[in-house]
Amino acid sequence: EQTNKSIVESYQKTDGLVNNSVCGIMPDTTGNLWLSTFDGLSFFDREQHRFYNFYESDGLSHYEFNRMAFHQDNFLLN
């Protein structure tokens, strides 16, 4: 069965997203979103509609991600 899905909200850098070029999107176990971009990592709190951004200064090995760059570790699940 095929369903039609559409995006009902969109966000940009002016809304708090770290960069408009998103490479990967991964939901966590609580439904929030982790977005890898060309200029860092954004965490989107869906309840508060707020972004929290992470860079090399926060411990990332590099700031630029490539297409489909994401990974969920079991550490985040516990």
Side-chain angles (χ1 to χ4, degrees):
E1 174 181 315
Q2 186 176 8
T3 61
N4 292 330
K5 295 182 180 183
S6 62
I7 297 174
V8 294
E9 297 179 43
S10 66
Y11 297 93
Q12 299 179 38
K13 190 172 179 177
T14 56
D15 300 308
L17 180 63
V18 72
N19 187 276
N20 289 338
S21 297
V22 175
C23 303
I25 302 173
M26 180 171 282
D28 65 17
T29 58
T30 61
N32 295 311
L33 302 174
W34 292 88
L35 302 99
S36 54
T37 77
F38 282 179
D39 195 25
L41 182 67
S42 285
F43 169 78
F44 182 66
D45 184 320
R46 292 180 70 188
E47 194 172 294
Q48 295 182 11
H49 294 269
R50 182 177 172 166
F51 286 97
Y52 297 89
N53 299 317
F54 303 92
Y55 308 91
E56 287 176 301
S57 60
D58 296 306
L60 294 180
S61 60
H62 56 281
Y63 67 93
E64 185 177 345
F65 293 87
N66 293 315
R67 189 174 71 86
M68 302 297 289
F70 53 87
H71 171 76
Q72 184 174 21
D73 192 299
N74 286 335
F75 177 77
L76 296 174
L77 299 175
N78 296 321

